[in-house]
Amino acid sequence: MEYITQYFSDFTPIQLKQFEQLQSLYSDWNEKINVISRKDIEHLYLKHVLHSLSIAAAFNFADGTSIIDIGTGGGFPGIPLAIYFPEVKFHLVDSIGKKLKVVEAVAEATGLQNVTTQHGRAEEIKNRKFDFAVSRAVAPLKELWKWSKPLLQKNNKNDFANGLICLKGGDLAQEISESGLKPNQISLEEIFKEDYFKEKYMLYVKL
């Protein structure tokens, strides 16, 4: 938790409790359904929660914004962002049903009212539009944009353009080149000082 409170403040008591609950909830569920690697569970706040919240450090979403989390896995970045932005709507999608079972249980246990889930692939979603798509280490940028773009709406609630925000690591030059896109690239080590964030980036593709 110190990682969270070191970089972020102004949480309500409810939000602090929700963040604190994540360790025991994910530890318990991870015994049944492996959604986080065994060696990572003790670093939950650094490698998963704080990593997810890098999006909150860079983007302050307006109340009423709708966000789809593509390939949410165990609920990252969606769950930490849903705690951080209680008035923003998050739709967490994954093709693996048992992972969503964990997401739903965590959302229910923490009392999150702004999270919905869907079992399936993003490209199968019809008749729904979102302001932003977020994703963490799911697929190459080219694929993510192909899945995200049809789900994004032009109507803008924020003072920055709707689009795709994804968290990635390593040398992204080839991946960006192959995508044909010109994303804004933010280095996470400029946001967080921990060594873990070296060579980790956030890419923002505007609609």
Side-chain angles (χ1 to χ4, degrees), residues 3 18 21 47 56 66 68 83 96 107 129 131 138 154 157-158 161 174 179 183 204:
Y3 288 120
Q18 288 169 323
Q21 285 176 289
K47 295 186 177 181
S66 61
I68 181 170
I83 295 174
I96 300 172
K129 295 285 186 180
D131 299 308
V138 167
K154 285 268 197 257
K157 297 179 181 69
N158 296 274
Q174 185 175 346
S179 75
Y204 169 38

Side-chain angles (χ1 to χ4, degrees), residues 1-8 43 45-46 50 192 194:
M1 271 298 289
E2 305 83 64
Y3 288 120
I4 311 305
T5 52
Q6 179 182 347
Y7 290 104
F8 299 98
H43 304 294
Y45 288 101
L46 173 67
L50 190 61
F192 304 130
E194 284 74 18

Side-chain angles (χ1 to χ4, degrees), residues 10-38:
D10 297 334
F11 289 129
T12 64
I14 290 171
Q15 287 172 305
L16 283 172
K17 186 184 176 195
Q18 288 169 323
F19 278 123
E20 284 166 357
Q21 285 176 289
L22 296 181
Q23 183 71 60
S24 60
L25 286 167
Y26 277 108
S27 296
D28 290 347
W29 272 102
N30 222 45
E31 295 295 319
K32 306 171 204 161
I33 299 169
N34 194 14
V35 290
I36 294 169
S37 80
R38 299 273 187 235

